[in-house]
Amino acid sequence: MATGREIAQLCGVSVATVSRVFNQPETVNGDTRERVLRVAKELDYRPNESARALSTKQSTMIGLVWDTDHRRPGWRHPYLQDLLIGLKSALSAHGYHLLMLATSGDAREVGASLADPVGYVNMTRRHHLGGLVLIDSGSDAEAFGAFAQSGVPCVALDVAVEGPRATYVTSDNAGGARAAVAHLVGLGHSRIATITGPPGNQPSDARLSGYREALRDAGVEPRADYVVAGDFYRASGIAAMQRFLALDEPPTAVFASSDEMAVGALLAARAAGLRVPRDLALVGFDDIEIASVVEPALTTVAQDKPGFGVAAAKAIMAMITGSGPDGPVVLPAQLVVRDSCGARQV
Amino acid sequence: MATGREIAQLCGVSVATVSRVFNQPETVNGDTRERVLRVAKELDYRPNESARALSTKQSTMIGLVWDTDHRRPGWRHPYLQDLLIGLKSALSAHGYHLLMLATSGDAREVGASLADPVGYVNMTRRHHLGGLVLIDSGSDAEAFGAFAQSGVPCVALDVAVEGPRATYVTSDNAGGARAAVAHLVGLGHSRIATITGPPGNQPSDARLSGYREALRDAGVEPRADYVVAGDFYRASGIAAMQRFLALDEPPTAVFASSDEMAVGALLAARAAGLRVPRDLALVGFDDIEIASVVEPALTTVAQDKPGFGVAAAKAIMAMITGSGPDGPVVLPAQLVVRDSCGARQV
DNA sequence: CGTTTCACCGTAAGCGGTTACATAGACCCT
DNA sequence: AGGGTCTATGTAACCGCTTACGGTGAAACG
C-alpha cells in the first residue's frame, strides 16, 4: 500500500499537503492538487484508516449492537435482512461501514452484552465508532436507556430511548394494530381476542394499546380473558389459541402480535377442527415471508422493513454530522389483507 | 478513556511496561504486573484499537463481503441470520469483530463491489482486516477468484476458490441432491424433473450433478426436457413447472434446487389443478423457514446453516494464526422428509 | 518603496500504542 | 574480583495521518 509520504516525495511536496488535498482541497493550489491526485491515483493510494482514526478520533464505522446470546434457537428476526441491506446501503453512501460488535470476550476481555452496556460503550470508544445502532431488543428498554445516557450517538430500533444524542425508529405499532382490529370489527366480529408479545416489550405493548383503542372506538367491551401474553414465538401462539378455545365463549377472531404466533394460532385452530377463516378470523403482525405462503395466506400488518435500516442510518449520520437527533422516526404500518381474516372469498 | 500513559504514570513505570503487561505478560515482573493490572482495572483501561492496529498492522476485524446491490428485491438469503450468528459468536470467541464493508462510494471513493474486487482488497488493507468472508455469490466465481489470488486470507461460502490463503465452505450439494432424487426413485418415480439454479452457480451445478448421478444409479434414462434452469427465485419455479406441465409426458416428481423455486412449482401445479403430493411429488433444497409451513409441508434438503458461520470463522482464524488453510469444509446436507414428496400419508 | 494581506505550503507535534535496542542490577561462575 | 547471563525495565523510534503554527513570496496597499 502506498503511503502519503511516498506520494509527497514523488510530488516534491510535504505530507501535510497530501493530507490537505484529501481533507481540505480548497486550501491547496490547483496545480499541486492535480499533481498529487494524479500520483495518488497511479499508486492507488488509500489513506490508512487506522492512522486516520487515531489522529482524528473518529472512524468511519458504526457499531451494530445485536445481542443474540439470549435468543432461543427458533427465533427469527422479522426483518433482519432488509434491515441490514437498508443500513448498509444508506451508510455506504456516506462512506461508513457497519461493525458487528463481538458479544463475548477472549482473554483480552473484549466483548460486551446487553447486561453490560458499558462494554459496548467502551468498544465504541476503543474503535472510535461514530455511533451505535441497537436492534432486536424491544424487551431490554433499561439496558438501552444506559446507552442513550452514555453520550455516544445511538439509534435504537423498536424501543423508545431518550438521551442527548439518542433517538429511535419504530413502526406505528398502535396504529397498525388499530387498523387490524378495526378491520375485524368491520367484518362483523365482536369477540376479538389478542395474543401479545412479552409484557414490557414496547412494540408489543403498543400493539396491545392499539387493540384496545380499536375495541373502544367500536364500542366493544374488552374482556380480560381475551388477552393472553405470548413471547412472539410460534409455540406461544399455539398455547394461547388453546386457551382461547377452552373458553366458554371462544373468540371468533384473533389478532396476534407477531406472524409467528399467528401461525401458531392457525395450527392450533386447525388441530381443533376449526377452519380459518370460516370459523375463526386471524390477523398477524410483521408480514414476514411465511405470512404469504401459509394456507390460508395470513392477513397481517406489514412493517416498512428496509425503512428501518434507512431511517436508522439517516438518524445516525445526522447526529454524527452535528445536527442533533431529529426526534423519533415512526414508520407506517400497513394492513395487508389476505385470506386468513375472511374478508376475501376463498 | 484512560490511556496507557496514564497507567504508566500512576504505576511509576514506562508505557512500554504497560504494553508488555498486556502483550507479553511473562516478560514482566509479577509485582509490577499486578500493580499495572490493578490500576488498569480501576481506570477501566481499554487499549485503543486504532493505535494498536496502526502499530501492529493487524486489527481484530474480519470483513464481510456481501454484495447486495445486484440482488433483485425479492431475494432472501436462505440462511443469513444463522450464518451471521454463527460467524459472530465464533469470531467473538477470538475477540474478533465482523465488519460489513460498504459497497458504494462517497466523495472519498470508499466502496467496492464484486465487479471490482480490488476495492475490497484495498479496504482490507486500509483497515488492517484479518481476512475476508465472502458470502452469497455462488454465481460470481471469477470475481471470487480474484480475492483468492490477492493474498488476503479469505474464505468463501458456497463457491470453490483456490489460493495460497483462501479456502471455502459449502454444503454437500451433490450428495444432498442425490439423496433427494434417490428418495423419489425409491417412492417409485421414474419421470423425475429438476429445476436448477442459474447455470454457472456452483451449488446449483453440484445439485444438478447429484440429480444426474442419482438417476444414473437408478438406471433411469435422463431426459433433456426434464431439466430447466431457474434462478432460485420463486417466479422461475412457477415458469419451470408450467413448462413441465406442457410436456407430452409431464414428470411425476420434481426436484427443485431451492425451496423458493419449489414453492413456485407448488403454486403452478396447484393452479393447474394438480394435487401435491398425490399427482406430483416435490422436493426442494435449503430448508428455509417457509418449507415447513407451506401446505403441504415441503420435503427438502436441509443445510447446516449455523455450521457455515462457525466453519467460516474457524477457517479464517486458522489462516490468521498462521496455520495455512485447512482445505475446503464440506457441510452435510440432510434430506428432511415432509409431506410434499408423498412418502408420508397425508 | 515599506508594509500589510493573503494564498500556499512546510515543520513538527501529536494520536496511543508496539517493540528493537540499550541499560542496570542480580546472580553465578571461575 | 572480573566477566558472563539473565531478568526487568526504560528509551525512543515508528506505524501513517491530521493539523496548529509559522514562514515565504507575491499581490495589494498607502
Side-chain angles (χ1 to χ4, degrees), chain A residues 52 98 100 108 260 289, chain B residues 52 98 108 260 289:
Chain A
R52 173 198 287 266
L98 231 207
M100 292 186 47
R108 302 181 65 154
E260 279 289 347
E289 209 190 352
Chain B
R52 173 198 288 268
L98 232 207
R108 302 180 64 155
E260 279 290 348
E289 211 191 350

Side-chain angles (χ1 to χ4, degrees), chain B:
Chain B
M1 288 291 276
T3 72
R5 184 201 311 265
E6 297 180 43
I7 298 189
Q9 286 171 343
L10 284 182
C11 292
V13 298
S14 72
V15 291
T17 299
V18 173
S19 177
R20 278 190 282 257
V21 167
F22 293 102
N23 298 307
Q24 317 158 44
E26 64 285 355
T27 70
V28 23
N29 178 281
D31 285 347
T32 50
R33 195 193 321 145
E34 294 310 318
R35 193 150 33 98
V36 169
L37 251 18
R38 191 164 39 74
V39 174
K41 170 160 278 189
E42 274 171 22
L43 269 51
D44 196 27
Y45 166 75
R46 310 291 172 116
N48 180 305
E49 291 296 334
S50 303
R52 173 198 288 268
L54 176 60
S55 182
T56 61
K57 303 176 186 310
Q58 174 82 55
S59 79
T60 55
M61 302 187 294
I62 302 293
L64 181 71
V65 175
W66 181 33
D67 196 351
T68 55
D69 296 346
H70 67 308
R71 285 291 175 202
R72 285 197 259 141
W75 174 244
R76 303 282 92 172
H77 186 109
Y79 54 86
L80 181 74
Q81 178 168 330
D82 285 322
L83 165 67
L84 290 181
I85 290 181
L87 251 183
K88 183 161 88 82
S89 69
L91 289 179
S92 287
H94 295 268
Y96 273 70
H97 309 271
L98 232 207
L99 186 64
M100 291 186 48
L101 271 354
T103 50
S104 67
D106 69 343
R108 302 180 64 155
E109 272 193 88
V110 315
S113 73
L114 282 186
D116 169 34
V118 179
Y120 281 113
V121 172
N122 271 325
M123 281 204 208
T124 89
R125 303 213 205 280
R126 283 190 346 157
H127 291 274
H128 297 300
L129 301 185
L132 251 24
V133 174
L134 316 173
I135 71 173
D136 192 21
S137 297
S139 301
D140 299 290
E142 341 68 51
F144 277 32
F147 285 103
Q149 298 309 318
S150 70
V152 314
C154 63
V155 14
L157 265 46
D158 275 339
V159 38
V161 296
E162 304 233 331
R165 317 245 294 153
T167 187
Y168 61 96
V169 8
T170 187
S171 282
D172 178 12
N173 290 297
R178 220 181 304 124
V181 175
H183 182 249
L184 290 171
V185 168
L187 292 172
H189 293 277
S190 58
R191 280 150 57 189
I192 305 174
T194 188
I195 310 173
T196 75
N201 178 284
Q202 295 191 6
S204 170
D205 291 349
R207 289 167 200 172
L208 178 56
S209 304
Y211 162 83
R212 291 196 167 124
E213 290 165 22
L215 288 189
R216 179 162 34 73
D217 292 349
V220 174
E221 198 64 27
R223 296 175 48 156
D225 54 357
Y226 276 6
V227 176
V228 352
D231 58 8
F232 286 145
Y233 289 84
R234 189 177 304 179
S236 70
I238 295 178
M241 192 68 225
Q242 287 166 344
R243 284 185 49 186
F244 290 144
L245 293 175
L247 257 31
D248 286 342
E249 207 172 32
T252 61
V254 170
F255 165 63
S257 227
S258 79
D259 285 348
E260 279 290 348
M261 294 193 298
V263 169
L266 176 64
L267 296 175
R270 185 179 294 161
L274 297 188
R275 278 154 306 173
V276 174
R278 200 213 274 194
D279 305 326
L280 179 79
L282 210 49
V283 179
F285 207 110
D286 283 342
D287 195 24
I288 61 180
E289 211 191 350
I290 66 173
S292 57
V293 301
V294 289
E295 181 57 35
L298 201 60
T299 291
T300 188
V301 180
Q303 307 199 58
D304 177 8
K305 306 186 183 68
F308 278 93
V310 174
K314 207 177 286 185
I316 271 283
M317 292 312 303
M319 300 173 85
I320 290 177
T321 59
S323 39
D326 303 331
V329 179
V330 177
L331 267 16
Q334 179 102 33
L335 181 67
V336 177
V337 176
R338 286 197 271 253
D339 302 328
S340 67
C341 61
R344 290 192 201 171
Q345 297 308 327
V346 275

